[in-house]
Amino acid sequence: MTGGARVAVVTGGANGIGLACVRRLSDDGFTVVVADTDAEAGARVTAEIPRAEFVASDVRVRQDVDRVVGTALEIGRGRLHALVNNAGQTARVRFADSDETTWRRLHDVNLHSVFSFTHACLAGLTAGRGAVVSVASVAGLVGAEDLSAYSSAKAGIIALTRSLALEHGDVIRFNAVCPGQIATRMMARVQADDELRAAVTAQIPAGRLGRPEEVAGVVAWLLSDGAGYVNGVAIAVDGGESAGFRRPKPAAAVRRRG
Ligand SMILES: NC(=O)C1=CN([C@@H]2O[C@H](COP(=O)(O)OP(=O)(O)OC[C@H]3O[C@@H](n4cnc5c(N)ncnc54)[C@H](O)[C@@H]3O)[C@@H](O)[C@H]2O)C=CC1
Ligand SMILES: O=Cc1ccc(S(=O)(=O)O)cc1
């Protein structure tokens, strides 16, 4: 694969929101280097998406990070134009029942990987005057019951984004998207249970879960010249869920809406 086009790195790009970002950035003309542990899905990315190259990698392993970024720098001849820090994992557990291993895993995958990839890409993004979008969560804007490790890691992404926007804003823009409840495998539990899905969507003004492509569209805009003066923001992509408290809906009304 040769350079010439703008070069992007997307972490966790083999499934869900990350895959939607890879498709969208390819459509927008980027050459996309995809970091993911899912080799089966990754092979499909390379086979099906123009100018996309999957690199089997674990975002928690610095050698893997450097291998992914090295591939992108070679394609971009030293210049990088976009980094999407999307890889993430979640675990639903009461804080009192938490264990260190799970806590560290969620912070390593969700937050430390943003440090590692951003640090490894910094010279290339400076040369390419690029932009970075990190995928946080509404759970990083507010707390989240039974998701303390996840929520605190996502909050860290937002604070890191704002700090880097201050340090590098004259050359590289740093922004975050904060998805709400998006129809991916991370929401499999909600999608598989009609009653739970009705209860969840009753609290969302849009009345439905979001689509991965709806997050990817905001990511693509933040990476574009159209957002050339947008730096250091955290944009909720949640159908209005985090806008405020909604009047509780009686159970019967929830069931009627299905
Ligand atoms: N689905 C949702 O409702 C929400 C998702 N998010 C965030 O959006 C991002 C994408 O999530 P989804 O697409 O829903 O999940 P997903 O599970 O469909 O995709 C996550 C991708 O990251 C990859 N990944 C996980 N750990 C990895 C590691 N150590 N190294 C490399 N790749 C790894 C997985 O293989 C997968 O391809 C995550 O950061 C998640 O926290 C935020 C808010 C809501
Ligand atoms: O980021 C929002 C989010 C992530 C995971 C979950 S759960 O683990 O499926 O409950 C809920 C919200």
Side-chain angles (χ1 to χ4, degrees), residues 4-225:
R6 291 172 298 163
V7 179
V9 174
V10 177
T11 71
N15 295 286
I17 292 168
L19 176 58
C21 289
V22 174
R23 293 189 193 284
R24 174 59 190 268
L25 293 180
S26 171
D27 290 346
D28 289 354
F30 281 87
T31 296
V32 190
V33 178
V34 178
D36 206 299
T37 50
D38 188 339
E40 187 177 342
R44 288 195 294 273
V45 167
T46 299
E48 296 169 10
I49 300 177
R51 294 179 311 283
E53 180 169 343
F54 167 70
V55 180
S57 46
D58 187 325
V59 299
R60 296 171 293 181
V61 178
R62 186 61 194 241
Q63 292 92 324
D64 286 8
V65 173
D66 291 342
R67 188 157 45 82
V68 170
V69 176
T71 300
L73 286 169
E74 188 176 343
I75 295 169
R77 299 187 179 94
R79 288 182 170 78
L80 301 178
H81 305 88
L83 168 61
V84 180
N85 293 300
N86 165 79
Q89 293 180 24
T90 185
R92 176 166 285 281
V93 61
R94 299 298 289 180
F95 179 75
D97 302 325
S98 300
D99 64 274
E100 293 258 354
T101 302
T102 302
W103 175 275
R104 289 190 183 282
R105 170 170 60 85
L106 293 193
H107 275 248
D108 285 349
V109 173
N110 289 289
L111 176 57
H112 192 82
S113 69
V114 176
F115 162 81
S116 302
F117 270 91
T118 304
H119 202 260
C121 288
L122 206 52
L125 289 167
T126 300
R129 301 187 72 82
V132 177
V133 177
S134 297
V135 183
S137 167
V138 166
L141 291 170
V142 294
E145 184 179 7
D146 297 346
L147 293 170
S148 55
Y150 180 81
S151 177
S152 54
K154 292 301 191 181
I157 291 176
I158 293 167
L160 176 57
T161 293
R162 289 176 171 146
S163 302
L164 293 174
L166 293 169
E167 290 187 33
H168 294 276
D170 57 337
V171 177
I172 307 168
R173 294 183 297 109
F174 287 85
N175 292 294
V177 290
C178 300
Q181 317 239 26
I182 311 299
T184 72
R185 65 187 191 178
M186 190 172 275
M187 285 294 135
R189 182 174 63 94
V190 172
Q191 296 180 81
D193 180 331
D194 289 348
E195 196 164 329
L196 177 59
R197 190 178 67 248
V200 165
T201 53
Q203 298 308 312
I204 303 172
R208 63 175 175 83
L209 299 181
R211 295 184 290 272
E213 296 72 26
E214 293 176 302
V215 180
V218 178
V219 171
W221 175 73
L222 284 170
L223 292 172
S224 75
D225 292 342

